[in-house]
Amino acid sequence: MMKPFAIAAAALAAALTAAPALAQSPIGTFASQTGDTRVRFADCGGQICGTIVSVRGQTRDEKNENASLRNRNLVGVRMITMRPAGANAWQGTLYNFQDGKTYNGRMSMPGANSMSLSGCVMGGLICRSQTWTRVN
């Protein structure tokens, strides 16, 4: 009597583990790894754009390579622009206001509430990654 149930349960478990993972959406607000910066991600014409909504500490873009932008408030600055690059993957640019530079980068969603961001130099040979957490 239990044998058909066991076979059905095994088949269901195999089907669930073999199914591809559903893509997670990066739309929403995420806190940086340190928690000092919050960025709202939204669709912007087929891309994903991340705009700073709050920041602790440094409030002006004082290290921007463009001297005319060094006095602007960081809140409202588009920090991240990504385009789709496969299943659960995006690539584009990341602006780091802490050093005033823009980097090529990648983004993925390992879970519904976590985002992995990598900024790279030297054509992607050297990358630095952070995990951000969804706050809403």
Side-chain angles (χ1 to χ4, degrees):
M1 290 264 178
M2 294 299 283
K3 194 170 189 175
F5 176 74
I7 292 171
L12 179 61
L16 291 175
T17 57
L22 296 176
Q24 304 293 334
S25 173
I27 304 299
T29 303
F30 286 78
S32 64
Q33 187 165 299
T34 63
D36 291 337
T37 306
R38 290 185 182 216
V39 175
R40 181 175 301 121
F41 290 85
D43 184 300
C44 58
Q47 297 183 7
I48 300 294
C49 297
T51 303
I52 299 172
V53 293
S54 71
V55 64
R56 274 188 250 157
Q58 179 183 340
T59 59
R60 300 277 174 208
D61 198 7
E62 56 202 38
K63 297 189 179 172
N64 195 305
E65 291 181 329
N66 181 341
S68 68
L69 298 176
R70 290 182 185 155
N71 199 36
R72 72 178 173 173
N73 192 329
L74 286 170
V75 172
V77 169
R78 182 183 292 178
M79 181 177 175
I80 299 168
T81 303
M82 296 282 169
R83 64 188 175 284
N88 195 36
W90 296 265
Q91 65 183 24
T93 58
L94 306 147
Y95 174 64
N96 181 355
F97 63 83
Q98 294 172 328
D99 67 9
K101 296 182 181 178
T102 300
Y103 297 93
N104 290 324
R106 296 183 301 256
M107 180 174 82
S108 66
M109 295 288 297
N113 295 315
S114 65
M115 172 185 289
S116 176
L117 287 165
S118 297
C120 303
V121 295
M122 297 179 63
L125 292 176
I126 300 172
C127 299
R128 187 172 181 192
S129 297
Q130 289 190 356
T131 300
W132 290 20
T133 304
R134 186 184 301 273
V135 293
N136 73 4

